[in-house]
Amino acid sequence: MSGAGAPDFFYREAQRLGYVARSAFKLLQMQNKYKLITAGSSVLDLGCAPGAWLQVACQNLGPLKNGGSVVGIDLKKVKVPTMHCDARVQTVCADVRNFPKHQIKALSPQQRGFSIVLSDMCPSVSGITTTDAALSTELGMRALEVAVGRSALGHTNSNIQMDGQSKPYACAPDDEGVLRPGGHLVIKLLESEDTQEFRRICSPLFRKTSWLRPKATRSSSREIYFICQSLLS
Ligand SMILES: C[S@@+](CC[C@H](N)C(=O)[O-])C[C@H]1O[C@@H](n2cnc3c(N)ncnc32)[C@H](O)[C@@H]1O
């Protein structure tokens, strides 16, 4: 359902086309614009329930013979949708905030990491704008850290702190990110004063960064997607 009363256009289209949620159209729009997922890509989908992005990601891998994989992680147990998904899709039930990066990387093909990391994670919305935005920033920073690793973020002097640490990027055994050089990262955020900080942190790490507010985003929502293309090596 649209969540805002009567079923809307994207909800009806999702039903008609066999997507499990209207959010499919957000990734479809990004895919049309930026061509992030290509044949044989290895995709990590953080916050994957109920599975619409798994469907869009798998569709864009092309035929089975091209290979590729999609790994979804969510707090909720997710059954891989039968439509638009095939054997290349798997899901894991876990909290991304404390799921070690080396274990996430172990889920990638040949344990070589992923070519795309997508994060559509969002907190259970409280309705208190500042609280929701702060939780969303925290999840966004975790997605960034999973993708590029703590060592890559060490130089940033970010004001945004993670896990309540006062020195957020102290060396740890789990330092490496799971995103391969040349790979892409998408992070959903709720707009706040911290949002621009993501661009400041990511601009030196990626060839290009952009913001997108998809057409399928409800007008009442503050969500925005931060798109980082081609991780520099
Ligand atoms: C908007 S939904 C994702 C929709 C999904 N992209 C789709 O198209 O079907 C956000 C998801 O983020 C998940 N989430 C929030 N915090 C998380 C966390 N710490 N670890 C894993 N998943 C999380 C929620 O359980 C929720 O299912």
Side-chain angles (χ1 to χ4, degrees), residues 55-77:
Q55 294 177 294
V56 174
C58 188
Q59 277 182 310
N60 282 281
L61 296 182
L64 255 179
K65 67 174 167 52
N66 289 344
S69 81
V70 183
V71 175
I73 305 179
D74 203 286
L75 292 169
K76 299 172 195 147
K77 202 161 183 278

Side-chain angles (χ1 to χ4, degrees), residues 21 23-24 45 47-53 73-76 94-97 120-122 139 188:
S23 51
D45 180 2
C48 67
W53 282 25
I73 305 179
D74 203 286
L75 292 169
K76 299 172 195 147
D95 186 334
V96 172
R97 288 170 300 184
D120 199 20
M121 287 189 289
C122 65
L139 289 174
K188 191 228 301 269

Side-chain angles (χ1 to χ4, degrees), residues 16 20 31 34 39 41 44 49 56 63 87 95 104 107-108 114 124 130 132-133 151 156 164 166 193 212 215-216 228:
R16 187 176 72 80
V20 293
Q31 183 59 15
Y34 300 103
S41 289
L44 176 64
V56 174
D95 186 334
I104 299 179
L107 298 167
S108 66
F114 295 89
S124 315
T130 47
D132 293 340
S151 41
T156 59
S166 55
E193 58 189 20
L212 181 78
K215 290 196 173 83
C228 303

Side-chain angles (χ1 to χ4, degrees), residues 85-219:
C85 288
D86 57 36
R88 292 172 290 187
V89 184
Q90 58 169 309
T91 60
V92 175
C93 182
D95 186 334
V96 172
R97 288 170 300 184
N98 51 34
F99 194 21
K101 288 194 284 294
H102 66 271
Q103 285 184 26
I104 299 179
K105 196 168 186 175
L107 298 167
S108 66
Q110 290 89 46
Q111 311 197 0
R112 286 177 51 238
F114 295 89
S115 51
I116 298 157
V117 175
L118 306 171
S119 172
D120 199 20
M121 287 189 289
C122 65
S124 315
V125 177
S126 71
I128 303 165
T129 311
T130 47
T131 308
D132 293 340
L135 289 171
S136 159
T137 299
E138 193 187 314
L139 289 174
M141 278 306 289
R142 176 60 183 161
L144 174 60
E145 196 240 323
V146 166
V148 304
R150 281 185 182 225
S151 41
L153 296 177
H155 68 282
T156 59
N157 293 324
S158 171
N159 295 327
I160 305 173
Q161 298 196 353
M162 294 174 47
D163 308 327
Q165 298 174 19
S166 55
K167 290 203 169 174
Y169 306 123
C171 279
D174 203 30
D175 252 5
E176 247 187 60
V178 305
L179 187 63
R180 293 185 206 153
H184 312 307
L185 169 66
V186 172
I187 304 177
K188 191 228 301 269
L189 295 166
L190 296 180
E191 272 190 299
S192 72
E193 58 189 20
D194 286 335
T195 318
Q196 285 305 325
E197 184 77 354
F198 279 84
R199 179 163 246 164
R200 195 187 67 73
I201 296 169
C202 291
S203 290
L205 302 176
F206 289 86
R207 188 177 52 76
K208 190 175 173 206
T209 59
S210 338
W211 297 101
L212 181 78
R213 190 174 154 82
K215 290 196 173 83
T217 292
R218 296 189 190 90
S219 53

